[in-house]
Amino acid sequence: MAQLSDAARARFEEFVRANGDRLLHTAYGLCGDWQHAEDLVQVTLSTMAARWDSIERNALGYAYRCLSRSTVDRWRRLGRRPEVVSDPVTLRAATASDPDVAERLSVLAALQTLPERQRAIVVLRYLQDLSEADTAGALGITVGAVKSGASRGLARLRAGAFQEVEQ
């Protein structure tokens, strides 16, 4: 960040203060792991700092795109080696007594059952409330792919919720 002027640095730091938690929660929704989410946000912020003067006008959109691309890169790396993932049932069993925490853990456990691309679409589209076009841009896919991925992801989540109610 040494190349930024003092004024640009102050604007960047204000952006981080205002949006840091939002970016962290988005990253967590994309990858399902707090440590990886923190790494994704750090990479995103480093990339943004280096290009701040040219991206400042659409900084949040750029941040989402960086997070999404970093997540996809991570999926590709993980696809080349096995990874031990927590079982969604185990996540539900670890629920705290606070109903809000229980609900959040339940949503996160349900999201972990989705394939990576559908999870990214659902998180950006519905949890971060991005438009279909913005979601498509962030993930580097077409609007049609966002629509079909969102539809399939929501159907899968609904089917999973329905199965839990029956049991």
Side-chain angles (χ1 to χ4, degrees), residues 21-40:
D21 287 342
R22 184 178 195 180
L23 293 175
L24 182 61
H25 286 96
T26 301
Y28 181 73
L30 291 171
C31 71
D33 180 301
W34 283 113
Q35 292 166 338
H36 288 295
E38 290 171 349
D39 291 343
L40 289 171

Side-chain angles (χ1 to χ4, degrees), residues 127-162:
L127 297 182
Q128 290 303 318
D129 201 27
L130 294 184
S131 69
E132 290 169 342
D134 290 341
T135 301
L139 295 174
I141 58 178
T142 65
V143 172
V146 170
K147 289 178 181 181
S148 65
S151 176
R152 290 182 183 128
L154 292 176
R156 192 173 187 160
L157 289 172
R158 285 184 193 112
F162 183 68

Side-chain angles (χ1 to χ4, degrees), residues 7-123:
R9 183 184 188 112
R11 290 190 307 273
F12 177 74
E13 289 173 355
E14 178 57 33
F15 171 82
V16 173
R17 274 191 296 279
N19 297 289
D21 287 342
R22 184 178 195 180
L23 293 175
L24 182 61
H25 286 96
T26 301
Y28 181 73
L30 291 171
C31 71
D33 180 301
W34 283 113
Q35 292 166 338
H36 288 295
E38 290 171 349
D39 291 343
L40 289 171
V41 171
Q42 193 64 38
V43 167
T44 296
L45 293 176
S46 296
T47 303
M48 291 178 70
R51 299 175 180 211
W52 183 250
D53 289 330
S54 62
I55 62 146
E56 184 175 0
R57 288 185 181 176
N58 186 23
L60 194 57
Y62 188 87
Y64 285 140
R65 176 171 239 147
C66 284
L67 283 175
S68 301
R69 288 184 176 176
S70 296
T71 302
V72 170
D73 290 345
R74 179 176 174 262
W75 294 336
R76 289 180 182 142
R77 281 191 311 274
L78 293 177
R80 294 185 198 120
R81 65 182 172 86
E83 179 180 8
V84 177
V85 180
S86 296
D87 180 24
V89 175
T90 306
L91 286 174
R92 267 187 247 117
T95 303
S97 59
D98 182 6
D100 290 339
V101 172
E103 186 175 318
R104 279 190 297 250
L105 287 174
S106 177
V107 168
L108 292 172
L111 284 171
Q112 293 304 311
T113 65
L114 295 177
E116 289 89 2
R117 186 168 163 174
Q118 283 180 3
R119 183 181 330 137
I121 290 169
V122 169
V123 167

